[in-house]
Amino acid sequence: MSSSTSLYHCVPIPSGDRSDLAALQSIRMAVLHNIIIRGINSMISYAPEIQTSELPAFLKYCEQFDYFLHHHHALEEEVYFDMIEKKLGQGSMKDNVDGHQTFKAPYEAWNKSRESLAKGEAKWNPSDFIAEIRAFTEPLLEHLKEEIDTLKVDVIREKFTPAELQHIEKTMEAASKKGLNPVWHPPFLFINGDGVNGKWFPPAPAPVIFLCRDVLFRLHTDVWKYGCADKNMKVKERFAAYEPVVEAA
């Protein structure tokens, strides 16, 4: 990509019925990975437009991206992969864990720059900021695509019983809530969510969705305006061309 603001395509959504827990594993992973990709796209797209007065809010938005990526990968490594590997065989998830290391160094370099900017210890340079994002994005995208292939529906259905998959769902639901800040963390999921293929995510009762999206969201609209979508997951025109397709059955 030669243009400093050219963006990345979301990964395709696997075909299938998400009410089938075997199919849900890869479908949900694609939805989660696309939140990451939209977060990257939004930071790249908006960075050149940021004025000095807007920088604190923009960097706060970038901080939420960092939280989501770390939270997602921590859940995988500490909870999810272990449950999957027990059925698929020892070492079956090793490549996925190793994939987290492929972008670690450039990601930490970008994150250090983000923190320095937030502390006022560095001068804002959008070109440098974007270059550092791209440095970790290339290996990250490869990992995001490969990880979904591990969870192909036929393999999951063959290896797991419905009861075992239900146990995974309950375990992941409980684990995902740990350390959650309701003011900062849920809105990021909406403004980088998929209103076409993933309107059901994040899974939460309607009153909770209303509280996060329509009440808490208003506390920091200066931060959330940098997402790829509005609070109702309607993608903004500038990002529409990069939205995912659904794979053929």
Side-chain angles (χ1 to χ4, degrees):
M1 295 184 179
S2 58
S3 172
S4 63
T5 56
S6 56
L7 304 179
Y8 300 93
H9 285 276
C10 289
V11 298
I13 306 294
S15 61
D17 181 357
R18 67 179 177 85
S19 65
D20 173 3
L21 294 184
L24 176 62
Q25 305 309 306
S26 60
I27 293 172
R28 180 175 53 211
M29 191 65 77
V31 169
L32 285 164
H33 286 182
N34 284 338
I35 292 173
I36 294 171
I37 294 172
R38 291 189 190 95
I40 290 169
N41 282 345
S42 58
M43 291 188 295
I44 290 174
S45 182
Y46 282 113
E49 304 172 10
I50 299 301
Q51 303 299 313
T52 303
S53 61
E54 299 171 313
L55 187 58
F58 179 67
L59 292 174
K60 190 68 178 179
Y61 173 78
C62 296
E63 179 185 323
Q64 305 318 306
F65 169 82
D66 175 57
Y67 169 82
F68 179 75
L69 185 63
H70 272 113
H71 184 63
H72 174 66
H73 284 153
L75 281 175
E76 288 181 333
E77 292 185 7
E78 297 170 13
V79 184
Y80 188 65
F81 286 169
D82 182 59
M83 292 187 291
I84 297 296
E85 189 171 79
K86 284 179 179 177
K87 300 295 292 186
L88 297 190
Q90 185 175 1
S92 57
M93 305 304 288
K94 183 178 183 302
D95 287 347
N96 290 335
V97 175
D98 291 346
H100 292 173
Q101 300 302 312
T102 60
F103 59 89
K104 182 178 180 179
Y107 184 82
E108 289 181 346
W110 168 77
N111 213 17
K112 184 177 180 180
S113 294
R114 177 190 64 78
E115 291 174 346
S116 295
L117 285 164
K119 295 175 182 177
E121 298 172 349
K123 184 178 180 180
W124 172 241
N125 184 314
S127 296
D128 290 347
F129 194 75
I130 291 171
E132 288 191 314
I133 292 174
R134 291 202 186 283
F136 74 75
T137 296
E138 299 296 344
L140 171 60
L141 287 180
E142 191 64 29
H143 161 69
L144 295 181
K145 295 171 184 175
E146 292 175 349
E147 197 169 78
I148 296 170
D149 290 337
T150 310
L151 303 172
K152 288 185 180 295
V153 59
D154 292 342
V155 174
I156 298 299
R157 186 175 289 119
E158 177 186 353
K159 297 293 185 178
F160 291 85
T161 67
E164 289 169 334
L165 290 172
Q166 192 62 247
H167 172 70
I168 289 175
E169 294 303 299
K170 291 181 179 179
T171 301
M172 289 300 293
E173 180 182 3
S176 66
K177 294 177 181 177
K178 293 180 180 179
L180 184 70
N181 183 319
V183 174
W184 287 110
H185 301 154
F188 187 86
L189 304 180
F190 292 106
I191 59 171
N192 287 300
D194 189 336
V196 176
N197 306 293
K199 192 73 173 179
W200 44 273
F201 191 89
V208 175
I209 296 291
F210 174 79
L211 176 63
C212 293
R213 186 185 62 195
D214 297 306
V215 179
L216 298 176
F217 183 91
R218 297 180 183 180
L219 298 177
H220 300 288
T221 54
D222 59 331
V223 173
W224 306 131
K225 68 181 182 181
Y226 296 115
C228 277
D230 64 17
K231 67 178 183 177
N232 296 307
M233 299 186 188
K234 182 179 179 181
V235 67
K236 297 172 184 175
E237 185 175 353
R238 67 164 74 185
F239 302 109
Y242 303 94
E243 285 298 284
V245 297
V246 177
E247 293 178 337

